[in-house]
Amino acid sequence: MPTIAAYIGAAFFEIAGCFAFWGWLRLGKPIWWLIPGMVSLALFAWLLTLVESDAAGRAYAAYGGVYVAASLAWLWAAEGFRPDRWDLIGGTICLAGAAVIIAGPR
């Protein structure tokens, strides 16, 4: 699986899993929301193991930038809050950092 696809899938499943817990604890959703949340978090962890990297820490560091950008997309798509210019600038900086980590010559 290509690295970027694994990162995008991992970000979706991590955000969805964490949002299930958020929904239960902060939005008053039923406790059964935790079941798909835990499955989602397990899929997130599994997808990160598919990333082509010699070191887990490097894979996780690069993933961080993708996670930030995906979180901003979630903010807009799932929660209905449009990211402001500072969100977008910060997300761009994070993606640039992830690109340096992923594509840097080794």
Side-chain angles (χ1 to χ4, degrees), residues 65 68-73 75-76 81-96:
V68 169
S71 295
L72 294 172
L75 173 73
W76 194 355
F81 293 99
R82 187 174 179 177
D84 64 25
R85 67 179 173 182
W86 300 108
D87 295 327
L88 297 175
I89 291 167
T92 301
I93 291 168
C94 290
L95 283 175

Side-chain angles (χ1 to χ4, degrees), residues 58-74:
R58 186 173 291 130
Y60 301 158
Y63 164 72
V66 176
Y67 176 79
V68 169
S71 295
L72 294 172
W74 180 277

Side-chain angles (χ1 to χ4, degrees), residues 21-92:
F21 279 80
W22 180 276
W24 172 58
L25 288 171
R26 302 281 302 268
L27 302 177
K29 300 298 181 185
I31 195 166
W32 64 261
W33 268 46
L34 299 181
I35 296 167
M38 289 185 285
V39 170
S40 186
L41 290 171
L43 288 169
F44 145 71
W46 173 72
L47 282 168
L48 279 185
T49 68
L50 302 179
V51 170
E52 298 291 329
S53 178
D54 294 336
R58 186 173 291 130
Y60 301 158
Y63 164 72
V66 176
Y67 176 79
V68 169
S71 295
L72 294 172
W74 180 277
L75 173 73
W76 194 355
E79 296 183 68
F81 293 99
R82 187 174 179 177
D84 64 25
R85 67 179 173 182
W86 300 108
D87 295 327
L88 297 175
I89 291 167
T92 301

